[in-house]
């Protein structure tokens, strides 16, 4: 009986080893088959001919196009007089690339090429099952093409922009590469990494929608105009959910403030009220839709951020408290990256307003316009209570990439949701 048990145990180990070897062979075979269909996408500075940026692209079977991330090719889209694109394949052959269509919301680009791969990629029409092994391919840190196995964990929770949560390393340079199932069919596109074996992929459905639009409309005549339309449509979709939601309020210091108003706006908090030596007691709540839309290396959009601070200094002289209160107010700023080349200067309106309950507040409402994308603005709002000498409530929000109508509607809803006594 013991001998039989021993043989069963040995057989089990051998089966596990064979299974592991089979998986290794499968990954090796996948890479060998599809490596010629992977391209390094290079952004070249025309004057010097030197690389300004690199990423990964992959060749599709039908239509014969290259897919990559928009952020990989953005410089060539925004400044074609300064930058151009080329590919480098696994045989060290080079060739020109041209951007045909983009989806900035999902960070995708379709690029034309004269290169024809022997085994181009196909898109998997079905989603993998939760926990399935998938493989991310790309060129990390310009070290050569690799294959990284990982786990498909479904769509990222609490996200407005659908992203696949991939347990595997997606490093710099792998952006735009494919993530494939065991059959080599594309289930997603590498887009970002949060470190510690945590990566994010654009779902294949987003790529299919971009391909369908391209097949219907053809090559874009004006990529900037397309980007503008995509930004406006995205913010309208996002804010229709935010503005139509039933905002739940919570007690906060001397007032009430919004909590997590929609699933993709998450809230956190901190305080120092347990620290006896702190003369200024502070409770802070942060709520944000923290994902960003990449527009350029120094310009992002798409964020929503709300912040609330309750401060109390009962042992401070009112003038001391007011000085500290003013310092906290002055820290408010825009929540997205932008340069003066991207946006105008903020224009601000200052008011003292009275709430229905009789309380007063100083409000600041600031707007700056996007220079290249008409009808889009960043908005900064701040309100500070004025009726108490040693305590106060500051409410603040920033919006990036919204229309003026959306900004006004959000301001009205936000102002009506914040109250204090």
């Amino acid at each position: 009986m013991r001998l039989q048990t021993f043989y069963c145990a040995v057989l089990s180990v051998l089966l596990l080893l064979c299974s592991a070897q089979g998986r290794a062979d499968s990954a090796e075979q996948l890479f060998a088959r599809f490596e010629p269909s992977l391209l390094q996408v290079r952004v070249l500075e025309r004057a010097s001919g030197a690389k300004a940026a690199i990423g990964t692209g992959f060749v599709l079977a039908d239509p014969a196009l290259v897919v990559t991330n928009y952020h990989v090719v953005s410089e060539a889209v925004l400044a074609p007089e300064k930058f151009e694109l080329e590919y480098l394949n696994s045989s060290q052959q080079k060739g020109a690339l041209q951007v045909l269509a983009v989806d900035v919301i999902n960070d995708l680009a379709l690029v034309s090429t004269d290169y024809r791969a022997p085994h181009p990629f196909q898109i998997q029409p079905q989603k993998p099952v939760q926990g399935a092994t998938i493989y991310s391919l790309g060129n990390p840190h310009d070290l050569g093409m690799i294959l990284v196995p990982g786990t498909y964990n479904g769509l990222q929770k609490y996200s407005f922009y659908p992203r696949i949560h991939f347990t595997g390393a997606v490093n710099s340079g792998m952006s735009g590469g494919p993530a494939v199932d065991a059959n080599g069919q594309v289930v997603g596109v590498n887009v970002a990494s949060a470190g510690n074996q945590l990566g994010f992929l654009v779902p294949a459905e987003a790529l299919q929608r971009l391909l369908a639009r391209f097949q219907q409309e053809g090559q874009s005549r004006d990529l900037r105009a397309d980007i503008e339309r995509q930004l406006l449509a995205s913010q309208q979709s996002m804010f229709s959910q935010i503005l139509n939601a039933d905002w739940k309020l919570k007690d906060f210091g001397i007032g009430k403030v919004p909590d997590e108003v929609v699933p993709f706006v998450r809230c956190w908090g901190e305080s120092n009220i347990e620290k006896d030596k702190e003369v200024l007691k502070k409770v802070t709540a942060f709520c944000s839709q923290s994902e960003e839309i990449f527009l350029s290396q120094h310009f992002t959009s798409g964020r929503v951020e709300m912040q609330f601070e309750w401060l109390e200094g009962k042992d401070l002289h009112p003038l001391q408290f007011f000085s500290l209160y003013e310092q906290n107010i002055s820290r408010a700023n825009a929540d997205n990256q932008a340069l003066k080349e991207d946006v105008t200067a903020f224009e601000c309106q200052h008011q003292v307003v009275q709430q229905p309950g009789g309380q007063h507040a100083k409000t600041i409402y600031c707007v700056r316009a996007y220079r290249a994308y008409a009808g889009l603005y960043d908005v900064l709002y701040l309100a500070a209570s004025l009726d108490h000498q040693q305590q106060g409530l500051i409410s603040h929000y920033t919006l990036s990439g919204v229309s003026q109508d959306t900004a006004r509607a959000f301001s009205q809803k936000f102002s009506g949701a914040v109250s204090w006594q």
Side-chain angles (χ1 to χ4, degrees), residues 16-31:
L16 284 172
L17 289 173
C18 290
S19 176
Q21 182 61 48
R23 287 194 298 271
D25 288 343
S26 175
E28 183 179 347
Q29 291 165 4
L30 274 176
F31 186 74

Side-chain angles (χ1 to χ4, degrees), residues 30 32 86 113 133 137 156 172 179-180 183 200 202 219 234 252 271 331 356 379-380:
L30 274 176
E86 76 170 12
T113 179
T133 297
L137 297 98
Q156 183 184 1
S172 176
V180 302
N183 296 316
F200 297 103
V202 177
Q219 179 178 353
S234 178
F252 189 80
S271 72
R331 295 189 185 119
V379 179
L380 183 154

